[in-house]
């Protein structure tokens, strides 16, 4: 019985430690989260103009962030480059979004045209290395949802880990 109790305590302690590591950056300010992700101060001011409905939609999407983080297979808290993807209704929207990401972030952004199987334009961007945690993923989801709204005609479709 003593070994079982010790095993449960060790396992429980490891689970608590993992949870604590995952939330290490939950006390960071929005500005600190933005800076770690590569959103500039000017970008923060521009993206903060999004209406409450955009923020609510981002909050609704955040439920999937922890699953993407788990599926990535990388250790929580490690520095990773993250890729974000958007679809746009037309070339002009793709150009606006690419310009916005270039001006408001330190991301590497590019756009690509429609293909024979997909009539939409795609914009992709890669963040600088940032610590991969759930709060950081939530911040990325919120900021990219806001960027899609700001550019007009764009939809943020998600993020993934680029470096491993």
């Amino acid at each position: 019985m003593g070994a079982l109790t010790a095993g449960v305590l060790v396992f429980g302690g490891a689970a608590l430690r993992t949870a604590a590591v995952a939330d290490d950056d939950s006390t960071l300010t929005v500005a600190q989260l933005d800076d770690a992700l590569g959103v500039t101060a000017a970008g923060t001011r521009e993206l903060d103009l999004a209406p409450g409905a955009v923020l609510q939609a981002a909050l609704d999407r955040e439920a999937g962030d922890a699953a993407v983080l788990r599926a990535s297979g990388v250790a929580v808290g490690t520095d990773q480059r993250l890729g974000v993807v958007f679809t746009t209704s037309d070339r002009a929207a793709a150009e606006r979004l690419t310009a916005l990401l270039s001006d408001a972030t330190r991301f590497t952004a590019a756009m690509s045209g429609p293909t024979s199987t997909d009539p939409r334009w795609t914009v992709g961007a890669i963040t600088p290395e940032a610590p991969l945690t759930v709060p950081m993923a939530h911040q990325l989801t919120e900021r990219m949802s806001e960027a899609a709204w700001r550019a007009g005609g764009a939809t943020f479709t998600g993020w993934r880990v680029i470096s491993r």
Side-chain angles (χ1 to χ4, degrees), residues 98-125:
T98 302
L100 173 69
L101 292 172
S102 295
D103 293 344
T105 70
R106 294 187 308 274
F107 295 8
T108 302
M111 60 184 230
S112 61
T115 65
S116 60
T117 59
D118 190 351
R120 299 171 297 178
W121 283 77
T122 302
V123 175

Side-chain angles (χ1 to χ4, degrees), residues 43-146:
T44 297
R45 286 189 297 276
E46 189 166 354
L47 297 174
D48 280 341
L49 300 174
V54 171
L55 182 56
Q56 185 57 53
L59 292 172
D60 293 345
R61 285 187 65 112
E62 286 178 359
D65 287 342
V68 173
L69 195 152
R70 279 192 304 278
S72 73
V74 300
V76 172
T78 59
D79 285 348
Q80 303 295 327
R81 291 173 57 93
L82 306 174
V84 293
V85 179
F86 304 82
T87 57
T88 67
S89 55
D90 54 37
R91 181 184 183 114
E95 289 173 343
R96 283 191 309 271
L97 179 59
T98 302
L100 173 69
L101 292 172
S102 295
D103 293 344
T105 70
R106 294 187 308 274
F107 295 8
T108 302
M111 60 184 230
S112 61
T115 65
S116 60
T117 59
D118 190 351
R120 299 171 297 178
W121 283 77
T122 302
V123 175
I126 300 173
T127 70
E129 285 190 342
L132 184 56
T133 62
V134 172
M136 194 68 67
H138 289 343
Q139 183 73 0
L140 181 63
T141 295
E142 289 176 26
R143 287 308 195 196
M144 295 304 97
S145 297
E146 292 166 343

